[in-house]
């Protein structure tokens, strides 16, 4: 009777002893020869692509500032875990990782938001330093295969030719002008002024895309002078709600799959009531309170008088009225007597 080759299990299927199968007994993992070769080939291909730099997303940012990076992924991976790591594919260290969808997740200086409807996740880095420069990966965790990567090459520059922080004070009902210098690298890119929110998002309604023209949106106007490399922003009819932290920034190829936003200059804006108006309102309010207090005190004093005091006051008023009437009567009587004497004297003279 012919002996059948002994069957073994590898990668979930039976194979003969003549087939090749690599077993990692230390972790209880079997990798078939074909699968192993494909994974090695895939990693090697990714490494070559990353070394050539042809698909790397180059991001330029500035020390003290921040950056928002767009990480696209393919359809079918909406539910997978997303992460952002530093290093090459084979030696990448997680900076932030999450399975959360449609909500901001924070980890130190990093924040991430996965928008499954757009098949993109946003990565925000804050308080950048020159040491943050290097290779990063936008990663999608794939359990049964090699993770998906989008390489990012971050260059953080230390530009000393412009102010990085601006403090401004404005008054309720008034306007404020903010001027931001920016590096020549972003000269041809759209500029914006955004307001930082608690969710790590820096929101804005408009951006200026050309030089020498005012762009208006509601209470805000933007003007860019590319020759002087200055963005000027005017905010009108301010309220105290306009107080907060703002950023002057630039959009770099934002409409593409690998665009990013650089937050360059930070502005602290405080909106308060004009000092003169505050004094005026304080004095007016004080006078109103004093007047009201006097009226209330008089009213309470009258209410507290006993009946005898009220009666005596009434009798005194009546006596005063009687005396006044008697004096008036006597004055009229004397006047009549004088007139009578004058008439008699006149008659005698005529006689």
């Amino acid at each position: 009777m012919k002996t059948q080759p002994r069957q073994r299990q590898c990668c979930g299927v039976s194979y003969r002893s003549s087939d090749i199968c690599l077993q990692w007994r230390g972790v209880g993992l079997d990798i078939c020869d074909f699968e192993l070769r494909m994974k090695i080939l895939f990693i090697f291909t990714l490494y070559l692509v990353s070394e050539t730099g042809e698909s790397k997303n180059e991001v330029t940012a500035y020390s003290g500032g921040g950056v928002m990076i767009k990480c696209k992924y393919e359809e079918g991976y909406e539910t997978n875990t997303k992460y952002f790591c530093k290093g090459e594919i084979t030696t990448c260290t997680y900076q932030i990782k999450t399975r959360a969808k449609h909500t901001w997740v924070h980890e130190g200086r990093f924040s991430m938001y996965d928008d499954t409807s757009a098949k993109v996740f946003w990565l925000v880095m804050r308080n950048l330093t020159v040491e943050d420069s290097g290779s990063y990966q936008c990663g999608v965790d794939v359990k049964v295969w090699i993770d998906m990567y989008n390489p990012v090459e971050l260059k953080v520059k230390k530009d000393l030719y412009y102010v990085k922080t601006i403090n401004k004070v404005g008054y309720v009902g008034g306007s404020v002008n903010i001027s931001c210098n920016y590096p020549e690298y972003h000269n041809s890119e759209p500029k914006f002024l955004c307001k930082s929110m608690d969710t790590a998002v820096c929101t804005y309604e408009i951006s200026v895309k050309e030089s020498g023209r005012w762009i208006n949106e509601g209470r805000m106007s933007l003007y860019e002078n590319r020759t002087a490399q200055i963005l000027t922003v005017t905010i009108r009819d301010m309220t105290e709600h306009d107080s907060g932290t703002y950023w002057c920034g630039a959009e770099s190829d934002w409409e593409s799959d690998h665009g990013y936003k650089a937050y360059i200059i930070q502005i602290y804006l405080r909106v308060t009531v004009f000092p003169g108006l505050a004094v005026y309102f304080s004095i007016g309010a004080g006078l109103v309170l004093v007047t009201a207090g006097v009226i209330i005190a008089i009213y309470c004093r009258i209410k507290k008088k006993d009946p005898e005091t009220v009666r005596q006051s009434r009798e005194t008023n009546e006596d005063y009225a009687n005396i006044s009437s008697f004096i008036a009567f006597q004055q009229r009587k004397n006047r009549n007597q004088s007139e009578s004497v004058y008439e008699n004297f006149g008659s005698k003279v005529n006689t």
Side-chain angles (χ1 to χ4, degrees), residues 88-233:
E88 299 298 339
I89 295 174
T90 55
T91 59
C92 211
T93 303
Y94 291 131
Q95 305 299 309
I96 185 171
K97 183 177 182 179
T98 181
R99 291 182 59 89
K101 314 299 176 186
H102 302 284
T103 186
W104 281 100
V105 177
H106 310 284
E107 184 67 35
R109 297 184 297 125
F110 296 84
S111 297
M112 183 185 291
Y113 183 95
D114 187 6
D115 185 353
T116 58
S117 58
K119 302 175 186 61
V120 61
F121 66 89
W122 318 101
L123 186 284
V124 175
M125 288 182 67
R126 296 175 293 275
N127 301 324
L128 294 172
T129 66
V130 176
E131 288 72 23
D132 289 320
S133 299
S135 298
Y136 292 82
Q137 311 293 330
C138 293
V140 178
D141 186 22
V142 183
K143 293 181 178 180
V144 296
W145 193 242
I146 298 298
D147 291 353
M148 298 180 60
Y149 297 98
N150 286 325
V152 175
E153 189 67 27
L154 176 62
K155 297 179 181 178
V156 180
K157 297 182 177 181
K158 189 174 183 179
D159 199 322
L160 303 177
Y161 296 101
Y162 62 90
V163 177
K164 297 180 181 179
T165 303
I166 299 174
N167 292 287
K168 300 289 289 187
V169 176
Y171 301 106
V172 173
S175 61
V176 66
N177 292 320
I178 301 171
S179 295
C180 300
N181 294 86
Y182 57 82
E184 185 179 3
Y185 180 85
H186 300 285
N187 200 33
S188 61
E189 298 172 343
K191 313 300 185 306
F192 60 83
L193 178 78
C194 64
K195 185 176 183 181
S196 295
M197 309 299 289
D198 295 336
T199 57
V201 177
C202 200
T203 60
Y204 60 96
E205 299 294 333
I206 56 173
S207 59
V208 58
K209 299 178 174 63
E210 56 183 303
S211 180
R213 178 185 175 188
W214 282 98
I215 303 297
N216 303 303
E217 178 65 30
R219 298 182 296 116
M220 184 177 293
S221 299
L222 282 74
Y223 181 89
E224 181 183 6
N225 183 341
R226 291 185 176 176
T227 303
Q229 297 170 208
I230 296 176
L231 171 67
T232 301
V233 182

Side-chain angles (χ1 to χ4, degrees), residues 39-99:
K39 286 193 174 187
I40 293 174
L41 177 62
F42 185 72
I43 293 174
F44 182 69
T45 302
L46 288 176
Y47 177 77
L48 289 179
V49 170
S50 64
E51 285 299 308
T52 58
E54 296 177 355
S55 9
K56 278 189 178 181
N57 178 20
E58 294 187 355
V59 175
T60 299
Y62 303 90
S63 60
V67 66
M68 174 183 279
I69 301 171
K70 181 190 295 185
C71 298
K72 290 285 289 184
Y73 56 85
E74 297 179 5
E75 185 175 1
Y77 296 95
E78 291 85 348
T79 61
N80 292 58
T81 297
K82 314 300 188 309
Y83 59 86
F84 189 73
C85 61
K86 184 175 184 179
E88 299 298 339
I89 295 174
T90 55
T91 59
C92 211
T93 303
Y94 291 131
Q95 305 299 309
I96 185 171
K97 183 177 182 179
T98 181
R99 291 182 59 89

